[in-house]
């Protein structure tokens, strides 16, 4: 890792910035001069004649986002937040959010990728991939003074950073991305302010006495937010997004930061779609023009806006990859805080992202599901698997430890009441289904009444740790 990035990442707070909804509003809202709108669109998308593309919206190209939404195919976007000119490492993307849209079920999943995740960035023409934190991928392409020798596609053009970030996160998740959207601090603050602020509802209070100011120090007296719903301005939104030293343990965790960031995204989307926000178009264009970039064309942005404007709030799911589930910080060193996948092959991470959308027929069964750890390799495996499944809509019960098991099995204590959930668990865990026999000892001493129990065997532990054969 380069010394400048290692030093900066070890000391600089995280930033969480997401602006896709505001951009869509600016593009689609009426009432602004065409010449100014065309200049704005050229600035943020790079297209020379975006309005010509609007004329072709009725016949989207096969494979485009608009085409996929029409044909009920999944769409994947990568949202990036970087420090910008206000930061001494302006291109590090300390916010990386995978947003997957499932037109077939009308749902969205937002999954935060930890900025400290150690990856290989394959960017150079005559050199092997470099081992870096994932948040450096955008910077490797954009910072042409700090890095050299990049492949041609990562050396020039406004989308070079987005392309490299997409390639890097694809290796992590297994997802192919349909586009990226990137924004910096200033755009985040200015957009929230241009919309007159946003409404957020916090699960609990947040008090951070080590929140940084803009002079290499801390805000005097700290920052403070109460539990519940409240109207906040741009600077307050940025504080909620960046805070990483909250007094409350839940808010200082990776999951707490990711959850707040995703709450802000939802609040921005909701405000951007409101009638009142339509009057803010000129201010929104000013906020975004210099501090926002995307490779999505006008047709795809229009299609995204039309589709997302119909979403219900409960159709948007939230998840985060953290040290409590698929990654660990045991690879950290005194020089830098790092997290690494428990499965170095990334196969388990790929499986997780491939199953973000559990079929509605499974979710509506509301089957009680318990994970029981019968492996011999990882004492906390049951907890990790349970936490990873909760955001997917399953009714996950508290896990338990059971006696050692070689093979993973799904025990059906419901008498066949939940066939869809049973089949999903069987497929996800590559497990056999067992119907417990009355009068025989149960391998799971505390099963949920009339529910399903997945006993994780040694075979699954080996897969979770990347030690099983491919």
């Amino acid at each position: 890792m380069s010394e400048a990035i290692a030093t900066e990442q070890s000391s600089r707070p995280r930033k969480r910035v997401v602006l896709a909804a505001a951009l869509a509003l600016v593009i689609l809202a009426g009432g602004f001069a065409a010449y100014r709108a065309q200049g704005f669109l050229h600035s943020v998308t790079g297209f020379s004649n975006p309005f010509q593309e609007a004329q072709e919206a009725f016949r989207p190209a096969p494979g485009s986002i608009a085409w996929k939404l029409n044909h009920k195919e999944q769409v994947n976007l990568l949202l990036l937040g970087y420090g910008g000119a206000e930061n001494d490492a302006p291109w590090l993307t300390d916010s990386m959010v995978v947003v997957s849209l499932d037109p077939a079920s009308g749902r969205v999943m937002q999954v935060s990728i930890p900025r400290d995740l150690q990856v290989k960035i394959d960017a150079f023409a005559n050199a092997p991939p470099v081992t870096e934190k994932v948040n450096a991928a955008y910077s490797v392409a954009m910072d042409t003074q700090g890095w050299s020798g990049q492949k041609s596609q990562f050396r020039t053009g406004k989308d070079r950073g987005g392309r490299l970030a997409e390639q890097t996160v694809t290796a992590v998740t297994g997802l192919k991305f349909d586009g990226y959207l990137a924004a910096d601090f200033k755009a985040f603050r200015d957009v929230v302010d241009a919309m007159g602020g946003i409404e957020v509802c916090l699960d609990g209070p947040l008090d951070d006495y080590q929140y940084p100011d803009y002079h290499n120090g801390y805000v005097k007296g700290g920052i403070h937010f109460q539990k519940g719903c409240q109207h906040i301005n741009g600077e307050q939104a940025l504080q909620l997004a960046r805070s990483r030293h909250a007094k409350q343990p839940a808010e200082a965790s990776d999951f707490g930061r990711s959850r707040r960031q995703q709450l802000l995204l939802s609040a921005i989307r909701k405000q951007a779609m409101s009638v009142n926000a339509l009057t803010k178009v000129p201010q929104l264009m000013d906020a975004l023009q210099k501090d926002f970039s995307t490779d999505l064309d006008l047709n795809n942005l229009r299609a995204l806006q039309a589709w997302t404007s119909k979403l219900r709030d409960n159709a948007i799911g939230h998840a985060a990859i953290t040290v409590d589930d698929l990654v660990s910080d045991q690879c950290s060193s005194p020089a830098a805080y790092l997290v690494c996948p428990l499965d170095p092959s990334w196969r388990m991470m790929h499986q997780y992202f491939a199953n973000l959308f559990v079929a509605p027929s499974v979710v509506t069964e509301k089957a009680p599901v318990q994970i029981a750890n019968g492996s011999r390799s990882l004492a906390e495996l049951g907890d990790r698997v349970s936490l990873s499944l909760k955001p997917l809509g399953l009714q996950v019960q508290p896990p338990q430890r059971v006696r050692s098991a070689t093979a993973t099995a799904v025990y059906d204590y419901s008498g066949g009441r939940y066939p869809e959930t049973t089949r999903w668990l069987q497929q996800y865990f590559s497990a056999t289904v067992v119907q417990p026999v009355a009068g025989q000892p149960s391998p799971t001493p505390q099963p949920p009444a009339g529910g399903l129990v997945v006993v994780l065997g040694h075979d699954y532990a080996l897969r979770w740790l990347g030690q099983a054969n491919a």
Side-chain angles (χ1 to χ4, degrees):
M1 180 181 295
S2 67
E3 182 177 354
I5 287 183
T7 301
E8 206 285 330
Q9 288 192 355
S10 65
S11 61
R12 184 162 48 87
R14 302 169 187 252
K15 297 90 176 174
R16 307 291 183 187
V17 186
V18 188
L19 298 169
L23 177 64
L25 173 70
V26 170
I27 290 170
L28 294 165
F32 54 88
Y35 76 90
R36 183 179 180 192
Q38 182 160 332
F40 165 79
L41 289 165
H42 175 64
S43 174
V44 299
T45 69
F47 294 100
S48 59
N49 193 354
F51 286 107
Q52 181 178 353
E53 296 177 12
Q55 298 172 5
E56 302 174 0
F58 67 93
R59 50 182 176 89
S64 67
I65 291 175
W67 186 90
K68 285 186 172 183
L69 292 174
N70 288 340
H71 289 78
K72 308 297 184 184
E73 292 190 11
Q74 184 171 320
V75 171
N76 302 307
L77 303 172
L78 182 61
L79 307 188
L80 304 168
Y82 57 93
E86 295 179 353
N87 199 280
D88 55 1
W91 301 114
L92 293 181
T93 55
D94 282 355
S95 172
M96 306 188 78
V97 183
V98 173
V99 179
S100 291
L101 290 66
D102 181 30
S105 63
R107 292 179 294 168
V108 173
M109 279 296 293
Q110 302 173 5
V111 186
S112 296
I113 304 296
R115 71 158 196 173
D116 298 310
L117 183 63
Q118 189 176 56
V119 298
K120 291 187 181 299
I121 301 175
D122 186 7
F124 303 98
N126 298 304
V130 295
T131 300
E132 280 281 3
K133 294 185 179 183
V134 69
N135 71 337
Y138 192 76
S139 180
V140 167
M142 298 301 293
D143 183 7
T144 54
Q145 294 183 342
W147 299 87
S148 61
Q150 296 94 330
K151 298 175 183 177
S152 59
Q153 66 267 37
F154 306 133
R155 188 169 61 247
T156 60
K158 78 172 191 64
D159 295 321
R160 62 190 187 275
R163 284 193 295 263
L164 183 54
E166 286 180 342
Q167 174 182 286
T168 305
V169 180
T170 288
V172 170
T173 63
L175 298 177
K176 182 181 183 300
F177 289 97
D178 298 286
Y180 81 92
L181 302 99
D184 75 0
F185 272 11
K186 185 177 184 300
F188 180 67
R189 283 199 310 265
D190 291 351
V191 162
V192 173
D193 286 335
M195 291 192 296
I198 55 176
E199 189 84 7
V200 295
C201 297
L202 302 180
D203 297 332
L206 184 151
D207 301 285
D208 186 345
Y209 294 93
Q210 298 182 55
Y211 185 82
D213 58 19
Y214 294 97
H215 309 287
N216 297 318
Y218 301 113
V219 171
K220 186 176 181 180
I223 61 170
H224 307 278
F225 293 88
Q226 61 187 5
K227 177 182 178 179
C229 298
Q230 50 211 284
H231 195 81
I232 60 173
N233 61 27
E235 185 64 32
Q236 290 171 315
L238 185 60
Q239 290 171 351
L240 281 174
R242 294 180 68 190
S243 174
R244 63 190 299 260
H245 293 293
K247 181 177 71 174
Q248 296 81 6
E251 296 299 336
S253 69
D254 286 343
F255 181 81
R257 287 188 292 275
S258 298
R259 175 61 178 166
R260 291 196 307 273
Q261 171 234 311
Q262 293 180 11
L263 285 175
L264 291 167
L265 168 61
S266 296
I268 289 173
R269 185 190 72 89
K270 185 175 182 179
Q271 183 68 4
M273 298 304 172
S274 72
V275 174
N276 291 337
L278 292 177
T279 65
K280 306 294 186 180
V281 168
Q283 297 97 311
L284 287 168
M285 284 195 292
D286 289 340
L288 288 169
Q289 187 151 348
K290 294 182 179 179
D291 305 292
F292 191 98
S293 179
T294 181
D295 60 350
L296 301 181
D297 64 23
L298 182 59
N299 288 340
N300 287 326
L301 287 165
R302 288 169 61 93
L304 283 170
Q305 191 278 338
W307 191 83
T308 57
S309 66
K310 301 173 185 176
L311 285 175
R312 306 177 310 277
D313 286 344
N314 63 4
I316 303 175
H318 307 272
I321 304 302
T322 75
V323 294
D324 294 321
D325 43 60
L326 289 155
V327 298
S328 168
D329 59 4
Q330 295 303 305
C331 59
S332 293
S333 70
Y337 179 78
L338 298 168
V339 297
C340 299
L342 289 168
D343 173 10
S345 74
W346 301 105
R347 285 196 296 268
M348 292 305 299
M349 192 83 77
H350 289 190
Q351 183 196 30
Y352 182 77
F353 277 91
N355 289 275
L356 288 178
F357 297 104
V358 177
S361 59
V362 174
V363 176
T364 55
E365 282 189 338
K366 296 184 178 180
V369 176
Q370 184 180 65
I371 306 299
N373 184 11
S375 74
R376 304 184 297 274
S377 305
L378 191 62
E380 72 273 17
L381 182 60
D383 300 272
R384 287 181 176 274
V385 173
S386 295
L387 287 172
S388 72
L389 293 180
K390 280 184 179 180
L392 304 186
L394 299 174
Q395 304 297 309
V396 181
Q397 310 298 305
Q400 62 172 310
R401 286 297 302 269
V402 296
R403 63 178 179 268
S404 178
T406 301
T408 300
V410 178
Y411 286 82
D412 183 1
Y413 292 94
S414 73
R417 183 180 176 186
Y418 306 111
E420 296 295 326
T421 307
T422 302
R423 278 191 287 270
W424 188 90
L425 293 171
Q426 180 183 21
Q427 174 272 325
Y428 187 81
F429 289 99
S430 298
T432 57
V433 177
V434 178
Q435 302 290 339
V437 178
Q440 291 187 1
S442 170
T444 56
Q446 297 176 330
L452 304 168
V453 179
V454 181
V455 175
L456 303 177
H458 185 60
D459 60 339
Y460 190 78
L462 292 178
R463 277 185 276 152
W464 189 268
L465 297 171
Q467 298 173 6
N469 295 328

